[in-house]
Structure formats: C-alpha cells, structure tokens
Amino acid sequence: MMGPAWWAVLVLLAMADAVAGRFVVEKNSVQVTSPESLKGKYECAIGNFGLPQYGGTLQGWVVYPKDNRQACKEFDVSFKGHKSGARPNFVLIDRGECFFTTKAWNAQLAGAAAILVVDSKDEPLITMDNPEDTGTKHLENITIPSVLITKKLGEDLKKSAENGDMVSVLLDWRESLPHPDERVEYEFWTNSNDECGPKCDMQMDFVKSFRGTAQVLEQKGYTQFTPHYITWYCPEAFTVSKQCKSQCINHGRYCAPDPEQDFSKGYDGKDVVVQNLHQVCVFKVANDTGKPWLWWDYVHDFAIRCPMKEKKYTHECASHVIKSLGLDMDKINKCVGDPEADEENPILKAEQDAQIGHGKRGDVTILPTLVVNNRQYRGCLPVSWTKVLF
Ligand SMILES: *[C@@H]1O[C@H](CO)[C@@H](O)[C@H](O)[C@H]1NC(C)=O
Ligand SMILES: *[C@@H]1O[C@H](CO)[C@@H](O)[C@H](O)[C@H]1NC(C)=O
C-alpha cells in the first residue's frame, strides 16, 4: 500500500481531478493504424471511470459485435484472444439505451481490453460519466478504459470491420496528461536533522518510498517539486548569547533547534542549518542544470551515509555525496557561502521569506509540511496526502 506506485496513483488522481474539476472534457487520441484508408489520428474523450492508462498507449484490434451492439446485456461471445500474446480486442459499442458503465462492464466480462463508444449524433465529444443512481453497481470493478469517439469515425470503423478488414487502433493517453501549466506543484518542508525520533524517521521513510515516483513524475514534467527548510532568526539582543551561537549561522540570522535539545553534546542547531543549506543548494544547482530530481538522491544518500549517530553529519561527508552525484561542488560551495560571515545568505533569506503565508496558505511553522498547489497540509504524511488528493 505504501509503495511508490501508490503515490503515483494519488498524484495522477490529483491531476485528473484538477482537469475534471474545471469541466474540461479530457481528450486523448485514437490513432487508426490500419486499414490504410482510415489511417490517422482522431480525437476521443476518456470515460470518467475505468482506469485510463495515463502516460501510456494501448494497441488493439477493433471488433464490432454482431448482436448486443449497445452492450446493455451480457455478451454470449468472448473478445479475448485464445492464445497468450494475442493482441487485445477493443469493442465498438453504440451509444444509448443503457449507462456507459453498464456497457463497459458487459464488455469487460466478455474479455474486451477497452471499449470505443460510438456517439449517436454529430456533436462535440462529452465526458462519459458514471450515473448517479443505482446503475453503478459494478463501477468499482471496471478496469478497462472507455473512450467516446465521434459518430463519423465510428461509422467508418464499423464499415471496415464489417468488410473483414483488419482494423487496428492505438489508444494514446500521453497527450491527455495535463499541460505544463496544469501540472501539480508541490513543496515539501523538511529538515536534514536525523535525530528527532519518530518524526525524523517518518520523513526519511517518506523520502525513501516516494523518491522513485517523485523522480519519474518530475522527469516527465507532471510535477514541479520544491523542497524547503525552516529557519528562524535570533533576536538581535541575543546574537552573542551561547544559545544563538550554537543554534545559528551568519551571526544569528538563520537558526534551528539543537538536535538533542542539549547544547553541550552532539551536534548543534547550527550544524542542522548548515546541512539544510547544503540541501537547498543541491536542489538549486541541480534545478539550474535541469535535473531537480537529484535532490531526492542527495537527501536519501546523505541520510544513509552521513548520520549524526556515526558522527558523519559533516560538510566533508556531504561533499562526498554531492560529488558522487556528479554535481558541481564549486557551485554548491558558492551557494552555501560562509556561515561565519556577518551577512545575509540569499538562499536562506529566500527560504525565510517563503515561510510567510500568502493567499490561501498560512505561514509554515511545523515540520514536516506538504504544500500542494499552494494549500498547506501537514501531520502524518500518508494521511495528509489522502486528504489532499481526494
Ligand atoms: C467487485 O469485485 C470484488 C472482488 O472480486 C467483489 O467482492 C465485489 O462484490 C465486486 N463488486 C461489484 C459491485 O461487482
Ligand atoms: C527550478 O527550475 C524551474 C525551471 O527552470 C524554475 O521555473 C523554478 O523557479 C526553479 N525553482 C527554484 C526553486 O529555483
């Protein structure tokens, strides 16, 4: 349940929801690959049920059944190939008489890989929805995709199929993914501290289990992820106090709590700030070179290779990890700057500014916090994500 695939599904659902929420008919394309006379791409609309293969394609043969052409009853024929390796069959079904979901269910029971519902009128394509009344009884079990095609394309496909032509179609969901301006933007407010008990362990588990998925989503442009780190500044009157000296860098400008809540042992708050700063800089340098997803590798590897427990929570250990990922150490050092200097660090200043709420989002003060499309969610990560996305 907690595997990467689960996260992918949630994020994809969020995107589907974002699109559906604005009453946009989600279109994808049907590509006819044979017969020659019909070759080409045609528009179609994805049903609001079943499992569209977002980002994927599905190729199959088109079958137009002799009877039960509206698929309102169970079929007494099978659309399943007899041998393994047989290409899937897409069943052409006429619109009307019963719910789209009933048609899909009957076709699925008979082994269809997808249904192509032929519109009954010449009209702009609509989204096939699940009915609100009791006709939905198999809804939860419909897994095959359903697409609505225009009356014209449907008629042409029927003719070809009835002529005995090999009618081959490719369903392509790659273009139905949200465009760059519709991608999910999310922020993860986190911390490099690995000695805060269950909270830190949970953050690390999240990074470990979500890393692969996050990277794929980012590489394909479905998401724009930004990590953030909370720091606060030391009140001016206290900048020279022992507390601020051990918790802050840049003369009290950026502080974090002591990992063990004990100033006399282990690492200090300022060590956490410095490592957080390394993580923001890794993101910045990686993002500037078009590979923002390297942040996930860095955070993951750093936690494993440089734990506080083993006294490896250091600049040196961080440098090894950074170099192992092929990132430019000079750029990172420049970004980190001099923690002892009595001056602003532009990166941490920007992080502090980002903590301040704007619009619908409040100030970020608690770790870990997830901000999805500028709404703030926090607490137990998996539960939060569920709330965000449904
Ligand atoms: C859906 O499938 C599950 C598992 O096979 C079954 O227990 C359930 O009754 C089905 N639900 C409907 C509404 O068909
Ligand atoms: C990351 O790069 C993208 C694309 O170049 C840019 O829009 C975004 O603002 C960058 N994010 C940060 C935090 O620098």
Side-chain angles (χ1 to χ4, degrees):
M1 189 58 185
M2 292 282 288
W6 182 60
W7 296 105
V9 168
L10 291 183
V11 173
L12 290 172
L13 280 174
M15 297 194 298
D17 196 45
V19 174
R22 272 175 283 121
F23 303 104
V24 172
V25 177
E26 236 182 315
K27 301 228 175 95
N28 61 322
S29 77
V30 184
Q31 196 178 334
V32 179
T33 51
S34 80
E36 201 66 35
S37 61
L38 290 179
K39 251 187 178 172
K41 265 193 182 179
Y42 302 84
E43 210 173 59
C44 65
I46 305 177
N48 257 353
F49 50 88
L51 299 176
Q53 316 292 301
Y54 283 114
T57 59
L58 182 61
Q59 175 110 36
W61 302 115
V62 174
V63 180
Y64 188 40
K66 286 201 169 54
D67 310 298
N68 194 20
R69 288 180 158 176
Q70 291 180 316
C72 295
K73 304 181 294 196
E74 282 193 20
F75 285 95
D76 49 17
V77 291
S78 170
F79 302 114
K80 224 181 176 59
H82 298 295
K83 286 200 305 230
S84 61
R87 264 225 246 161
N89 282 323
F90 299 164
V91 182
L92 269 179
I93 289 173
D94 291 333
R95 187 173 172 190
E97 287 298 314
C98 57
F99 296 122
F100 290 123
T101 46
T102 306
K103 297 173 191 285
W105 178 245
N106 287 333
Q108 179 175 317
L109 277 184
I115 60 169
L116 307 177
V117 179
V118 181
D119 208 346
S120 46
K121 295 193 287 256
D122 285 309
E123 61 181 0
L125 294 173
I126 56 156
T127 295
M128 295 181 289
D129 219 333
N130 49 301
E132 273 152 28
D133 67 344
T134 52
T136 60
K137 73 177 196 276
H138 299 296
L139 185 62
E140 66 190 42
N141 289 348
I142 297 175
T143 53
I144 63 168
S146 307
V147 293
L148 182 66
I149 59 175
T150 60
K151 183 168 182 233
K152 170 81 174 77
L153 175 62
E155 298 298 331
D156 289 344
L157 291 176
K158 283 180 200 171
K159 243 180 259 156
S160 278
E162 284 179 328
N163 270 346
D165 293 339
M166 284 273 217
V167 183
S168 176
V169 158
L170 178 75
L171 293 179
D172 192 341
W173 282 269
R174 286 172 301 185
E175 287 165 19
S176 68
L177 282 159
H179 298 294
D181 59 336
E182 285 172 347
R183 79 195 146 187
V184 172
E185 285 169 24
Y186 69 108
E187 300 171 359
F188 181 38
W189 290 78
T190 182
N191 197 327
S192 64
N193 181 0
D194 67 2
E195 284 285 308
C196 65
K199 197 163 91 175
C200 290
D201 297 344
M202 185 185 77
Q203 286 189 61
M204 204 49 230
D205 286 345
F206 172 73
V207 168
K208 276 187 197 147
S209 65
F210 193 45
R211 172 169 68 138
T213 305
Q215 291 180 321
V216 170
L217 291 170
E218 201 76 17
Q219 282 160 6
K220 303 218 159 153
Y222 306 152
T223 53
Q224 185 177 27
F225 166 73
T226 317
H228 283 296
Y229 296 83
I230 293 181
T231 61
W232 70 86
Y233 61 86
C234 178
E236 215 158 313
F238 300 97
T239 37
V240 292
S241 70
K242 198 172 163 231
Q243 284 207 6
C244 280
K245 281 196 155 158
S246 79
Q247 296 189 37
C248 312
I249 65 170
N250 295 99
H251 285 237
R253 286 180 176 82
Y254 315 105
C255 317
D258 189 281
E260 307 90 0
Q261 314 295 331
D262 181 346
F263 302 129
S264 61
K265 65 172 199 198
Y267 289 97
D268 295 328
K270 68 171 192 247
D271 300 312
V272 175
V273 182
V274 167
Q275 290 310 328
N276 287 352
L277 178 54
H278 278 74
Q279 300 197 352
V280 195
C281 288
V282 162
F283 178 76
K284 190 173 180 326
V285 171
N287 193 49
D288 287 350
T289 52
K291 293 180 180 172
W293 51 86
L294 287 179
W295 177 88
W296 293 91
D297 291 328
Y298 176 70
V299 169
H300 175 263
D301 293 359
F302 178 80
I304 288 171
R305 290 169 60 179
C306 313
M308 289 182 179
K309 268 197 270 322
E310 294 173 25
K311 304 221 176 331
K312 291 184 184 155
Y313 191 79
T314 61
H315 173 74
E316 201 190 357
C317 190
S319 306
H320 283 307
V321 179
I322 290 166
K323 282 183 198 143
S324 76
L325 294 172
L327 287 161
D328 186 338
M329 198 61 217
D330 290 341
K331 282 191 184 149
I332 304 276
N333 283 336
K334 192 155 174 268
C335 170
V336 169
D338 178 7
E340 301 296 331
D342 185 2
E343 61 187 19
E344 292 276 14
N345 177 304
I347 297 293
L348 288 178
K349 178 72 174 51
E351 289 299 294
Q352 282 185 346
D353 291 344
Q355 280 165 235
I356 309 218
H358 46 88
K360 288 180 184 141
R361 201 204 79 189
D363 290 359
V364 178
T365 51
I366 299 175
L367 287 175
T369 291
L370 260 177
V371 177
V372 179
N373 289 339
N374 210 29
R375 296 287 189 91
Q376 192 178 140
Y377 298 88
R378 63 184 163 226
C380 168
L381 286 173
V383 171
S384 302
W385 272 72
T386 315
K387 268 198 239 142
V388 177
L389 301 170
F390 286 106

